[in-house]
């Protein structure tokens, strides 16, 4: 029994080390990417003051949320204070003032704020925009390019692996839920069409290619159904196989979200910075001019911002591919 447990432990260690090797981000690259992340969120500020205007009768927290331990719904000033606190913490985070502590506080504030938002009946994909700060808190993101740098930690080599596992698991759960309804070998039904028609006729999807999607043949939408499911449930295969395949999977994810914007008008804004952890971090420090990609955001509104971001991500991920796939032995932990 003991030898069997040792064998299992050895297998799991090799398995995890392989994922760590496939996902590791250089400490210096991640430190500079911290600044890029800070600017990104300052230009796309998370806002929660709107919650204060919602009728308290809508407030029904799940037992799994932090808000379930509170006795009542806070006053509007509480959410306005959260917004101000988030701005202040983002500035400190970007400047690199005790990044680990700042990131952990920022992560906690966002979790609390999102818990109130989720207590109104809907849970969305913004959780990863909060988790990115937890990643920064336990990694070496604050050891360089910082006013008050942190001390290096050996745990850094595991952080991006854990984050990648969470991301692959999120895709898996999304694909698993679709698989039983979308893969039916029936041309008279379509999962994508179900989403499209409900969103379009509710007035939320009428831009870019939405009007043209009505003319899409049934066999194409059926293929799109299967493609979406296969893509989402296969994340772990790409993650474990090699560093190249993981980066390629993230590139496919950018194409996936671009198509969502063009057809379904679903944004997934925060995922830009999540995928950028691997697709942008390896090149953002070398080509500092890439900071300019954020400046046009000031001239766009609504979905146009998201469309611009995903087009930029596709271009930059192609540009960064060779540099991103560097030899693991040469990576500076």
């Amino acid at each position: 029994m003991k030898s069997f447990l040792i064998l299992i432990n050895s297998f799991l260690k090799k398995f995890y080390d392989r994922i760590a090797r496939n996902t590791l981000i250089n400490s210096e690259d991640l430190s500079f990417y911290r600044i890029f992340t800070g600017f990104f969120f300052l230009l796309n500020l998370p806002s929660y003051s709107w919650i204060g205007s919602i009728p308290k009768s809508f407030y029904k927290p799940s037992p799994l949320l932090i808000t379930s331990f509170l006795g009542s719904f806070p006053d509007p000033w509480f959410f306005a204070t959260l917004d101000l606190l988030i701005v202040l913490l983002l500035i400190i985070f970007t400047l690199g003032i005790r990044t680990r502590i700042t990131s952990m506080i920022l992560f906690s504030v966002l979790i609390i704020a999102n818990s109130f938002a989720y207590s109104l009946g809907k849970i969305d994909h913004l959780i990863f925009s909060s988790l990115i700060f937890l990643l920064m808190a336990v990694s070496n993101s604050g050891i360089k390019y910082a006013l008050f740098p942190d001390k290096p930690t050996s745990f850094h080599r595991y952080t991006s692996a854990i984050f990648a596992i969470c991301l692959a698991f999120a895709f898996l759960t999304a694909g698993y839920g679709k698989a039983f309804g979308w893969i039916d070998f029936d041309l008279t039904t379509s999962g994508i069409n179900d989403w499209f028609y409900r969103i379009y006729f509710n007035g939320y999807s009428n831009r870019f290619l939405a009007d043209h999607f009505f003319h899409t043949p049934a066999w194409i939408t059926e293929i799109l159904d299967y493609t979406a499911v296969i893509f989402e449930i296969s994340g772990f295969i790409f993650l474990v196989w090699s560093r190249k395949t993981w980066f390629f999977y993230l590139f496919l994810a950018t194409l996936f979200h671009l198509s969502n914007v063009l057809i379904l008008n679903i944004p997934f804004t925060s995922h830009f910075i999540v995928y950028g952890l691997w697709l942008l971090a390896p090149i953002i420090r070398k080509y500092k001019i890439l900071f300019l990609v954020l400046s046009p955001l000031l001239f766009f509104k609504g979905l146009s911002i998201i469309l611009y971001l995903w087009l930029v991500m596709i271009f930059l991920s192609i540009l960064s591919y060779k540099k991103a796939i560097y030899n693991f032995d040469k990576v500076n932990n």
Side-chain angles (χ1 to χ4, degrees), residues 14-297:
K14 290 181 179 178
F15 181 78
Y16 187 80
D17 285 343
R18 186 182 184 90
I19 294 178
R21 181 171 63 250
N22 293 345
T23 60
L24 182 64
I25 302 299
N26 184 313
S27 295
E28 189 170 2
D29 290 344
L30 186 61
S31 293
F32 200 84
Y33 190 67
R34 182 201 76 244
I35 302 173
F36 185 84
T37 301
F39 275 114
F40 177 85
F41 279 101
L42 285 170
L43 288 178
N44 299 270
L45 277 173
S47 178
Y48 300 94
S49 56
W50 60 270
I51 301 177
S53 63
I54 300 296
K56 295 183 179 181
S57 57
F58 286 95
Y59 180 61
K60 296 180 180 180
S62 164
L64 299 177
L65 294 173
I66 298 174
T67 48
S68 63
F69 297 100
L70 300 178
S72 62
F73 194 68
D75 294 325
W77 65 264
F78 173 80
F79 299 104
T81 302
L82 284 181
D83 281 358
L84 292 174
L85 183 58
I86 289 171
V87 173
L88 178 62
L89 289 170
L90 280 172
I91 293 173
I92 297 173
F93 168 84
T94 306
L95 294 175
I97 301 175
R98 298 288 181 257
T99 302
R100 287 205 180 97
I101 297 175
T102 303
S103 300
M104 187 59 72
I105 296 174
L106 185 53
F107 168 73
S108 302
V109 170
L110 289 172
I111 288 296
I112 293 172
N114 282 321
S115 294
F116 280 106
Y118 300 157
S119 297
L120 301 174
K122 182 181 184 298
I123 295 179
D124 55 30
H125 301 80
L126 294 178
I127 184 61
F128 275 96
S129 63
S130 302
L131 285 178
I132 195 80
F133 293 105
L134 180 59
L135 168 77
M136 298 290 184
V138 296
S139 65
N140 286 338
S141 65
I143 67 172
K144 293 187 177 182
Y145 308 109
L147 290 181
F148 295 94
D150 295 322
K151 293 182 179 179
T153 172
S154 58
F155 190 72
H156 171 83
R157 70 184 303 268
Y158 300 106
T159 54
S160 54
I162 296 173
F163 194 67
I165 290 172
C166 291
L167 184 58
F169 180 75
F171 271 119
L172 176 63
T173 56
Y176 178 81
K178 295 183 182 76
F180 296 99
W182 289 29
I183 300 181
D184 55 6
F185 303 101
D186 184 355
L187 291 178
T188 64
T189 64
S190 170
I192 288 180
N193 273 336
D194 178 55
W195 276 29
F196 173 74
Y197 284 111
R198 282 189 290 114
I199 295 174
Y200 187 92
F201 288 108
N202 281 325
Y204 300 113
S205 175
N206 53 18
R207 298 186 60 184
F208 307 129
L209 300 181
D211 288 334
H212 302 285
F213 195 69
F214 286 102
H215 309 291
T216 306
W219 64 272
I220 292 182
T221 58
E222 191 76 359
I223 292 175
L224 291 176
D225 281 356
Y226 303 161
T227 302
V229 171
I230 293 171
F231 162 72
E232 290 185 331
I233 66 177
S234 61
F236 276 106
I237 298 175
F238 286 84
L239 175 60
V240 175
W241 193 267
S242 72
R243 188 172 178 86
K244 283 187 176 181
T245 56
W246 172 241
F247 277 73
F248 181 68
Y249 183 77
L250 294 174
F251 173 71
L252 293 179
T254 64
L255 295 177
F256 176 74
H257 288 309
L258 176 63
S259 64
N260 278 331
V261 175
L262 291 173
I263 298 172
L264 301 175
N265 296 175
I266 301 176
F268 294 102
T269 317
S270 61
H271 287 52
F272 174 85
I273 206 70
V274 172
Y275 302 155
L277 179 68
W278 293 281
L279 297 180
L280 299 184
I283 64 166
I284 203 76
R285 177 174 59 88
K286 182 176 180 181
Y287 304 104
K288 299 178 179 61
I289 194 173
L290 293 180
F291 267 88
L292 294 177
V293 303
L294 290 182
S295 57
L297 298 181

